[in-house]
Amino acid sequence: MWRVRGFALKLTKLTSSETTSKRASVVRSFDSQDRCCCLLSVNVTRTAPRYMSSQRKRICTDNMTVKKIGTHNGTFHCDEVLACFFLRQLPEYTDAEIIRTRDPAQLAECDIVVDVGGEFDPKRHRYDHHQRTFAENFHSLCPEKPWVTKLSSAGLVYLHFGRRVLAQLTQLKEEDRQLEVLFNKLYEHFVEEVDAVDNGISQCDGEARYAVSTTLSARVGHLNPCWNSKSQDTEEGFRKALKMVGEEFLDRLEYYKSSWLPARVVVEEAVKGRHQVDPSGEVVLFSQGGCPWKEHLFAQEKELQVETPIKFVLYPDQNGQWRVQCVPAGLNTFQNRLSLPEEWRGVRDEALSELTGIKGCIFVHAGGFIGGNKTKEGALEMTRRTLQAAAQPPANGSS
């Protein structure tokens, strides 16, 4: 199974117009399957990279041109830190020097500039979003994508380089369908938040009910010097932020690649095979419990153009018994598409079996969203009885 175990952040050169250059090093290693597996470490002295014998050593000479990534100095934010992290994952920028300055002359010498300079020009590798004329979002630049949050430097770099970054980290090919799924997921559940926070876009309309102060952007902000600190040097904090942001992105990528994405395949197969479980097509069955299925099920219904919405999911629990779970009306609601019958709710064991006429009943939750049976056949019968009851006209004949 593929895993992202960490990454050695390339902090070989980090310079600023405020301070002298400081150096750090990176150690990159590879696991037995030749998957990229890097040890995240930040050292103040340069050490030689370690390679397995099968890897060709890179020879550095004084004649080699070191690429330069430009960004602003002073107080740093999550968006340019994340943008720099993304760029450092690409072969052409892996050893690039990060120039932190607002001096136009120094920025002009950089190979790529993010979050400073007042210019968005992908052909010249200029990715700022602060200029008055900038109003781009993912949808405006890629009409096939749905997101309309204004882009920060993180989103701009991700849009233009994200697929290559993911291909580099996962060893998937850029044209691989799985990579595109990961690309979408990581924007929607990681990068877009950074874009919104940096551009001052509220998550909801009106006053929030409570404060959320532990976002990635907030934690990056806390690494800046306090206003009353004797030292206002931001270089050490920037390095810490680059390390923290990198770790969190790789951790999220590992989860989506190793757990979330395999679940998508399981759900897709279950949805396609639902008519073999029950002719209604309204019940899906998983051979193993614990699979995060809800988000994938809604997505598969759309992709496969399922006409009759799925109502129930069956799966075994840790004790080898079977669960019946209702499909919610949406991801963020406790309402079900179809709940288990009201008269079953809160009843257990033999009393429930007698009430339903189904052998092996264990329970139905008082909320009607989940129940249990000792066998798969019994659990399936619970769903069929529920579907049959829902199809019956009301007792009084009214609609």
Side-chain angles (χ1 to χ4, degrees):
M1 179 62 72
W2 176 96
R3 287 176 63 84
V4 174
R5 299 181 184 172
F7 194 85
L9 300 178
K10 297 287 189 175
L11 302 181
T12 307
K13 291 186 179 180
L14 179 62
T15 65
S16 169
S17 59
E18 296 178 339
T19 62
T20 57
S21 299
K22 295 186 179 181
R23 294 182 180 271
S25 67
V26 71
V27 179
R28 173 174 288 184
S29 60
F30 293 83
D31 63 14
S32 59
Q33 296 180 345
D34 291 328
R35 301 296 191 188
C36 183
C37 165
C38 303
L39 181 65
L40 198 152
S41 61
V42 179
N43 303 316
V44 295
T45 57
R46 187 177 180 90
T47 58
R50 295 199 300 264
Y51 298 89
M52 293 177 61
S53 58
S54 62
Q55 298 295 324
R56 185 176 64 182
K57 294 184 179 181
R58 292 183 301 171
I59 301 175
C60 296
T61 69
D62 293 336
N63 295 326
M64 292 180 65
T65 301
V66 176
K67 288 189 176 292
K68 297 178 180 180
I69 301 171
T71 191
H72 63 81
N73 58 6
T75 300
F76 51 85
H77 312 97
C78 192
D79 71 313
E80 79 265 17
V81 174
L82 184 57
C84 288
F85 169 77
F86 286 150
L87 293 173
R88 279 280 180 84
Q89 312 317 302
L90 300 174
E92 64 266 37
Y93 295 114
T94 191
D95 292 315
E97 183 179 6
I98 296 178
I99 307 295
R100 300 186 67 226
T101 183
R102 294 185 184 274
D103 182 352
Q106 292 189 48
L107 293 174
E109 296 177 355
C110 294
D111 298 276
I112 188 167
V113 177
V114 300
D115 209 45
V116 70
E119 184 180 6
F120 170 52
D121 184 355
K123 292 181 180 179
R124 297 182 58 249
H125 288 323
R126 294 312 189 248
Y127 300 97
D128 195 12
H129 67 111
H130 294 99
Q131 54 273 28
R132 185 182 181 87
T133 57
F134 184 89
E136 302 290 359
N137 54 56
F138 233 102
H139 180 69
S140 67
L141 296 176
C142 298
E144 70 276 13
K145 301 301 183 185
W147 309 293
V148 295
T149 299
K150 182 180 177 181
L151 295 168
S152 69
S153 62
L156 283 171
V157 169
Y158 187 78
L159 185 150
H160 288 89
F161 298 95
R163 291 179 181 85
R164 287 187 58 211
V165 169
L166 295 180
Q168 189 74 18
L169 293 172
T170 65
Q171 305 302 308
L172 293 171
K173 296 187 180 300
E174 288 187 53
E175 61 272 16
D176 194 310
R177 178 169 171 256
Q178 287 190 330
L179 187 135
E180 189 67 17
V181 171
L182 288 172
F183 177 79
N184 293 340
K185 184 67 175 178
L186 282 158
Y187 181 74
E188 189 169 9
H189 289 268
F190 196 95
V191 183
E192 186 177 22
E193 172 191 325
V194 177
D195 285 343
V197 170
D198 195 76
N199 284 304
I201 301 171
S202 298
Q203 190 175 13
C204 57
D205 295 328
E207 190 72 19
R209 292 181 177 177
Y210 55 88
V212 178
S213 59
T214 56
T215 64
L216 182 60
S217 294
R219 284 180 284 122
V220 167
H222 289 313
L223 293 175
N224 282 283
C226 294
W227 68 273
N228 54 353
S229 296
K230 291 183 179 180
S231 173
Q232 291 296 308
D233 178 22
T234 59
E235 297 310 301
E236 181 180 359
F238 186 90
R239 286 192 295 273
K240 289 180 179 179
L242 194 58
K243 178 177 182 292
M244 180 176 70
V245 166
E247 286 179 326
E248 295 211 11
F249 181 83
L250 291 173
D251 180 73
R252 193 72 58 87
L253 173 58
E254 178 182 347
Y255 167 74
Y256 288 140
K257 179 68 168 60
S258 301
S259 179
W260 181 84
L261 200 55
R264 186 179 188 273
V265 176
V266 170
V267 174
E268 181 179 3
E269 292 176 354
V271 172
K272 288 180 177 178
R274 67 192 186 282
H275 288 98
Q276 299 175 16
V277 177
D278 186 78
S280 68
E282 297 178 70
V283 183
V284 299
L285 184 147
F286 301 134
S287 59
Q288 180 180 345
C291 174
W293 56 267
K294 293 180 183 178
E295 181 182 3
H296 294 304
L297 187 141
F298 293 133
Q300 289 301 313
E301 284 184 327
K302 280 187 176 181
E303 290 185 24
L304 300 175
Q305 298 180 339
V306 174
E307 295 183 359
T308 304
I310 296 166
K311 306 298 193 305
F312 298 104
V313 170
L314 304 182
Y315 56 87
D317 64 17
Q318 294 178 339
N319 298 317
Q321 299 170 336
W322 283 78
R323 295 293 179 96
V324 179
Q325 189 165 351
C326 304
V327 176
L331 277 177
N332 301 308
T333 178
F334 290 109
Q335 298 296 318
N336 301 314
R337 289 176 171 175
L338 179 61
S339 298
L340 294 168
E342 194 279 333
E343 61 270 22
W344 296 1
R345 300 174 195 175
V347 186
R348 298 187 60 88
D349 304 322
E350 287 300 322
L352 182 57
S353 291
E354 291 180 9
L355 177 63
T356 62
I358 303 170
K359 294 181 179 181
C361 288
I362 299 173
F363 78 100
V364 170
H365 192 277
F369 71 95
I370 194 168
N373 195 285
K374 293 179 181 178
T375 67
K376 177 175 66 176
E377 293 73 19
L380 180 57
E381 187 62 26
M382 291 173 73
T383 68
R384 288 173 173 167
R385 296 285 182 88
T386 304
L387 290 169
Q388 292 169 5
Q392 295 297 321
N396 59 10
S398 62
S399 59

